[in-house]
Amino acid sequence: MKRINKAGAVTLMSILLTVALAMTGCQFSGAKSPEATQNEQAKGEGASNTAPASDNSEEQSGEAIKEGSVEKEGNVVLKELAFVYNEHTIAISDTANEEQMEQMLGKPDNLKSHTYTADDGTNMDTLIGFTEKVYTYPGLEIKTISIPEGKQDSIFHIEITDPKYATVRNIKAGDSLDTLKNAYPEGKLLGDGAPDEEDDFRYEPSNYVDVMSFHIKDAKVESIQIYSLLD
């Protein structure tokens, strides 16, 4: 009877030892409990969600900086309606009083000033109270006008016949019609005249108020007018 009990005890011990070794093997093989697996998955998901968000925020910040750094000074359309002289760009709607005009262009040969009234014979009722000034230089005439309230002189009409005054696209009196067309492909001949006839080539922005007109004679630019229509 004792021998049977000893044999049974040995068998039981063998079974327990086998089970213990199996559990130890599982631990060393990297097996993980369900709770540990879930915790690691949660951490992994959190890390994967966080990293892209940081990258996106940097990219968005960079784009915002680039967009904010673009400076848009003045009216682009009006800056096209301009001429250049001694590194000064003079455009329609620029404010320019007598002192500024002299600094940019020198002393004019002639300066006229007229304030519109109801009985001045001009029939310009919409301009009553406005003061118009006309600056005359050799080959150049500039007209300014000021409103009664603001007293600001602004350029509304320019006429050029001297080649030393070139437009911002470097077109001047004496240039050929082909050169003009290449510089202002948006413009057009109003009368579709032949090269040996007179015609006007007009460059006109979409607002239909501010205009640059080139008078063509013998297939060349004879004069340039840049003006803004007054109400």
Side-chain angles (χ1 to χ4, degrees):
M1 191 72 181
K2 289 180 179 180
R3 290 180 180 176
I4 295 173
N5 290 338
K6 287 181 179 180
V10 171
T11 302
L12 180 60
M13 288 293 292
S14 298
I15 294 171
L16 292 174
L17 182 59
T18 301
V19 171
L21 289 172
M23 293 180 62
T24 303
C26 288
Q27 291 177 354
F28 280 105
S29 66
K32 301 174 183 176
S33 66
E35 293 180 357
T37 301
Q38 291 177 358
N39 290 336
E40 290 185 4
Q41 288 178 347
K43 291 180 180 179
E45 291 174 358
S48 64
N49 289 337
T50 303
S54 175
D55 292 340
N56 289 338
S57 64
E58 290 178 359
E59 291 176 3
Q60 291 172 358
S61 175
E63 290 174 1
I65 290 173
K66 289 178 182 178
E67 291 174 1
S69 66
V70 176
E71 297 181 1
K72 300 177 181 178
E73 297 179 358
N75 187 310
V76 176
V77 171
L78 293 181
K79 290 303 179 185
E80 280 285 333
L81 301 179
F83 73 94
V84 181
Y85 178 71
N86 284 346
E87 298 183 354
H88 293 292
T89 300
I90 303 170
I92 287 295
S93 295
D94 278 352
T95 57
N97 56 32
E98 294 180 24
E99 182 180 353
Q100 292 169 325
M101 292 288 287
E102 187 168 341
Q103 288 176 350
M104 294 185 294
L105 298 167
K107 189 176 181 63
D109 288 355
N110 193 24
L111 173 59
K112 293 181 180 179
S113 179
H114 173 75
T115 300
Y116 289 93
T117 62
D119 57 354
D120 63 2
T122 61
N123 295 320
M124 299 292 287
D125 293 344
T126 57
L127 298 180
I128 291 175
F130 287 62
T131 299
E132 178 183 311
K133 295 177 182 178
V134 182
Y135 299 81
T136 303
Y137 300 86
L140 175 68
E141 183 180 86
I142 297 179
K143 296 180 181 180
T144 67
I145 197 159
S146 63
I147 60 176
E149 296 85 0
K151 300 298 181 182
Q152 287 281 346
D153 295 345
S154 62
I155 298 172
F156 76 95
H157 192 278
I158 301 168
E159 184 170 3
I160 301 169
T161 55
D162 193 312
K164 69 181 177 182
Y165 305 108
T167 70
V168 291
R169 297 192 190 182
N170 200 31
I171 293 298
K172 55 192 178 298
D175 283 344
S176 68
L177 178 58
D178 289 338
T179 301
L180 173 61
K181 288 180 177 180
N182 289 332
Y184 291 91
E186 312 95 324
K188 64 178 181 179
L189 286 169
L190 298 185
D192 294 325
D196 58 346
E197 295 179 357
E198 293 190 41
D199 205 341
D200 288 306
F201 182 92
R202 179 172 292 186
Y203 167 72
E204 188 175 43
S206 58
N207 59 15
Y208 303 109
V209 174
D210 307 299
V211 178
M212 181 181 287
S213 180
F214 303 83
H215 186 69
I216 308 300
K217 185 176 182 181
D218 297 328
K220 292 183 178 180
V221 177
E222 184 179 60
S223 63
I224 304 169
Q225 287 194 53
I226 311 171
Y227 57 92
S228 181
L229 299 177
L230 297 178
D231 294 334

mmCIF file of all heavy atoms in Angstrom, residues 150-167:
data_model
loop_
_atom_site.group_PDB
_atom_site.id
_atom_site.type_symbol
_atom_site.label_atom_id
_atom_site.label_comp_id
_atom_site.label_asym_id
_atom_site.label_seq_id
_atom_site.Cartn_x
_atom_site.Cartn_y
_atom_site.Cartn_z
ATOM 1 N N GLY A 150 -11.326 117.051 -49.181
ATOM 2 C CA GLY A 150 -10.033 116.486 -48.828
ATOM 3 C C GLY A 150 -8.845 117.343 -49.200
ATOM 4 O O GLY A 150 -7.774 117.223 -48.612
ATOM 5 N N LYS A 151 -8.999 118.229 -50.196
ATOM 6 C CA LYS A 151 -7.893 119.061 -50.664
ATOM 7 C C LYS A 151 -6.704 118.223 -51.129
ATOM 8 O O LYS A 151 -5.569 118.656 -51.062
ATOM 9 C CB LYS A 151 -7.444 120.029 -49.552
ATOM 10 C CG LYS A 151 -8.522 120.986 -49.069
ATOM 11 C CD LYS A 151 -9.013 121.910 -50.189
ATOM 12 C CE LYS A 151 -10.071 122.873 -49.679
ATOM 13 N NZ LYS A 151 -10.599 123.745 -50.756
ATOM 14 N N GLN A 152 -6.969 117.010 -51.606
ATOM 15 C CA GLN A 152 -5.917 116.136 -52.116
ATOM 16 C C GLN A 152 -5.880 116.222 -53.638
ATOM 17 O O GLN A 152 -6.886 116.010 -54.296
ATOM 18 C CB GLN A 152 -6.180 114.687 -51.694
ATOM 19 C CG GLN A 152 -5.923 114.397 -50.230
ATOM 20 C CD GLN A 152 -4.440 114.225 -49.926
ATOM 21 O OE1 GLN A 152 -3.632 114.069 -50.829
ATOM 22 N NE2 GLN A 152 -4.093 114.271 -48.658
ATOM 23 N N ASP A 153 -4.719 116.548 -54.180
ATOM 24 C CA ASP A 153 -4.563 116.573 -55.627
ATOM 25 C C ASP A 153 -4.229 115.165 -56.114
ATOM 26 O O ASP A 153 -3.272 114.557 -55.639
ATOM 27 C CB ASP A 153 -3.428 117.520 -56.040
ATOM 28 C CG ASP A 153 -3.732 118.975 -55.690
ATOM 29 O OD1 ASP A 153 -4.900 119.267 -55.403
ATOM 30 O OD2 ASP A 153 -2.796 119.787 -55.687
ATOM 31 N N SER A 154 -5.004 114.639 -57.057
ATOM 32 C CA SER A 154 -4.726 113.317 -57.616
ATOM 33 C C SER A 154 -4.702 113.403 -59.143
ATOM 34 O O SER A 154 -5.473 114.152 -59.751
ATOM 35 C CB SER A 154 -5.760 112.290 -57.163
ATOM 36 O OG SER A 154 -7.045 112.644 -57.603
ATOM 37 N N ILE A 155 -3.820 112.624 -59.745
ATOM 38 C CA ILE A 155 -3.634 112.651 -61.195
ATOM 39 C C ILE A 155 -4.785 111.921 -61.886
ATOM 40 O O ILE A 155 -5.128 110.806 -61.499
ATOM 41 C CB ILE A 155 -2.298 111.990 -61.571
ATOM 42 C CG1 ILE A 155 -1.136 112.775 -60.961
ATOM 43 C CG2 ILE A 155 -2.139 111.905 -63.089
ATOM 44 C CD1 ILE A 155 0.207 112.099 -61.117
ATOM 45 N N PHE A 156 -5.380 112.574 -62.904
ATOM 46 C CA PHE A 156 -6.448 111.905 -63.638
ATOM 47 C C PHE A 156 -6.214 111.907 -65.153
ATOM 48 O O PHE A 156 -6.940 111.242 -65.892
ATOM 49 C CB PHE A 156 -7.819 112.532 -63.319
ATOM 50 C CG PHE A 156 -8.084 113.856 -63.993
ATOM 51 C CD1 PHE A 156 -8.778 113.911 -65.207
ATOM 52 C CD2 PHE A 156 -7.656 115.044 -63.423
ATOM 53 C CE1 PHE A 156 -9.031 115.126 -65.835
ATOM 54 C CE2 PHE A 156 -7.909 116.270 -64.035
ATOM 55 C CZ PHE A 156 -8.594 116.312 -65.247
ATOM 56 N N HIS A 157 -5.197 112.628 -65.617
ATOM 57 C CA HIS A 157 -4.948 112.656 -67.060
ATOM 58 C C HIS A 157 -3.462 112.898 -67.327
ATOM 59 O O HIS A 157 -2.846 113.792 -66.746
ATOM 60 C CB HIS A 157 -5.777 113.763 -67.722
ATOM 61 C CG HIS A 157 -5.795 113.685 -69.221
ATOM 62 N ND1 HIS A 157 -4.779 114.192 -70.009
ATOM 63 C CD2 HIS A 157 -6.705 113.167 -70.087
ATOM 64 C CE1 HIS A 157 -5.062 113.982 -71.283
ATOM 65 N NE2 HIS A 157 -6.225 113.366 -71.360
ATOM 66 N N ILE A 158 -2.896 112.073 -68.219
ATOM 67 C CA ILE A 158 -1.490 112.193 -68.621
ATOM 68 C C ILE A 158 -1.425 112.094 -70.142
ATOM 69 O O ILE A 158 -2.028 111.201 -70.732
ATOM 70 C CB ILE A 158 -0.629 111.071 -68.004
ATOM 71 C CG1 ILE A 158 -0.690 111.109 -66.471
ATOM 72 C CG2 ILE A 158 0.814 111.173 -68.486
ATOM 73 C CD1 ILE A 158 -0.100 109.871 -65.815
ATOM 74 N N GLU A 159 -0.681 113.013 -70.779
ATOM 75 C CA GLU A 159 -0.459 112.927 -72.222
ATOM 76 C C GLU A 159 1.028 113.032 -72.497
ATOM 77 O O GLU A 159 1.689 113.961 -72.025
ATOM 78 C CB GLU A 159 -1.224 114.010 -72.978
ATOM 79 C CG GLU A 159 -1.077 113.877 -74.492
ATOM 80 C CD GLU A 159 -2.008 114.782 -75.271
ATOM 81 O OE1 GLU A 159 -2.741 115.565 -74.632
ATOM 82 O OE2 GLU A 159 -1.999 114.711 -76.525
ATOM 83 N N ILE A 160 1.550 112.073 -73.271
ATOM 84 C CA ILE A 160 2.990 111.981 -73.524
ATOM 85 C C ILE A 160 3.259 112.025 -75.030
ATOM 86 O O ILE A 160 2.637 111.295 -75.797
ATOM 87 C CB ILE A 160 3.562 110.671 -72.958
ATOM 88 C CG1 ILE A 160 3.311 110.589 -71.442
ATOM 89 C CG2 ILE A 160 5.042 110.540 -73.262
ATOM 90 C CD1 ILE A 160 3.609 109.228 -70.860
ATOM 91 N N THR A 161 4.202 112.893 -75.432
ATOM 92 C CA THR A 161 4.651 112.912 -76.832
ATOM 93 C C THR A 161 6.170 112.807 -76.933
ATOM 94 O O THR A 161 6.704 112.653 -78.037
ATOM 95 C CB THR A 161 4.179 114.200 -77.535
ATOM 96 O OG1 THR A 161 4.634 115.337 -76.794
ATOM 97 C CG2 THR A 161 2.661 114.242 -77.639
ATOM 98 N N ASP A 162 6.869 112.899 -75.808
ATOM 99 C CA ASP A 162 8.335 112.831 -75.801
ATOM 100 C C ASP A 162 8.780 111.410 -75.454
ATOM 101 O O ASP A 162 8.311 110.831 -74.464
ATOM 102 C CB ASP A 162 8.886 113.820 -74.769
ATOM 103 C CG ASP A 162 10.386 114.040 -74.929
ATOM 104 O OD1 ASP A 162 11.133 113.049 -75.038
ATOM 105 O OD2 ASP A 162 10.805 115.209 -74.939
ATOM 106 N N PRO A 163 9.699 110.816 -76.228
ATOM 107 C CA PRO A 163 10.125 109.436 -75.976
ATOM 108 C C PRO A 163 10.897 109.224 -74.680
ATOM 109 O O PRO A 163 11.140 108.073 -74.289
ATOM 110 C CB PRO A 163 11.006 109.111 -77.192
ATOM 111 C CG PRO A 163 11.411 110.417 -77.758
ATOM 112 C CD PRO A 163 10.289 111.369 -77.470
ATOM 113 N N LYS A 164 11.267 110.292 -73.986
ATOM 114 C CA LYS A 164 11.990 110.083 -72.719
ATOM 115 C C LYS A 164 11.053 109.640 -71.591
ATOM 116 O O LYS A 164 11.518 109.224 -70.531
ATOM 117 C CB LYS A 164 12.743 111.342 -72.310
ATOM 118 C CG LYS A 164 11.885 112.514 -71.883
ATOM 119 C CD LYS A 164 12.785 113.707 -71.535
ATOM 120 C CE LYS A 164 11.971 114.937 -71.157
ATOM 121 N NZ LYS A 164 12.837 116.106 -70.875
ATOM 122 N N TYR A 165 9.746 109.706 -71.847
ATOM 123 C CA TYR A 165 8.777 109.216 -70.867
ATOM 124 C C TYR A 165 8.194 107.902 -71.392
ATOM 125 O O TYR A 165 7.434 107.904 -72.372
ATOM 126 C CB TYR A 165 7.649 110.229 -70.659
ATOM 127 C CG TYR A 165 8.128 111.617 -70.275
ATOM 128 C CD1 TYR A 165 8.063 112.675 -71.186
ATOM 129 C CD2 TYR A 165 8.647 111.869 -69.011
ATOM 130 C CE1 TYR A 165 8.489 113.951 -70.843
ATOM 131 C CE2 TYR A 165 9.084 113.142 -68.655
ATOM 132 C CZ TYR A 165 9.005 114.170 -69.580
ATOM 133 O OH TYR A 165 9.440 115.439 -69.242
ATOM 134 N N ALA A 166 8.541 106.797 -70.758
ATOM 135 C CA ALA A 166 8.096 105.469 -71.212
ATOM 136 C C ALA A 166 7.077 104.890 -70.231
ATOM 137 O O ALA A 166 7.122 105.167 -69.027
ATOM 138 C CB ALA A 166 9.290 104.517 -71.335
ATOM 139 N N THR A 167 6.164 104.092 -70.757
ATOM 140 C CA THR A 167 5.205 103.409 -69.887
ATOM 141 C C THR A 167 5.936 102.360 -69.052
ATOM 142 O O THR A 167 7.111 102.055 -69.285
ATOM 143 C CB THR A 167 4.100 102.720 -70.708
ATOM 144 O OG1 THR A 167 4.667 101.595 -71.406
ATOM 145 C CG2 THR A 167 3.477 103.677 -71.699
#
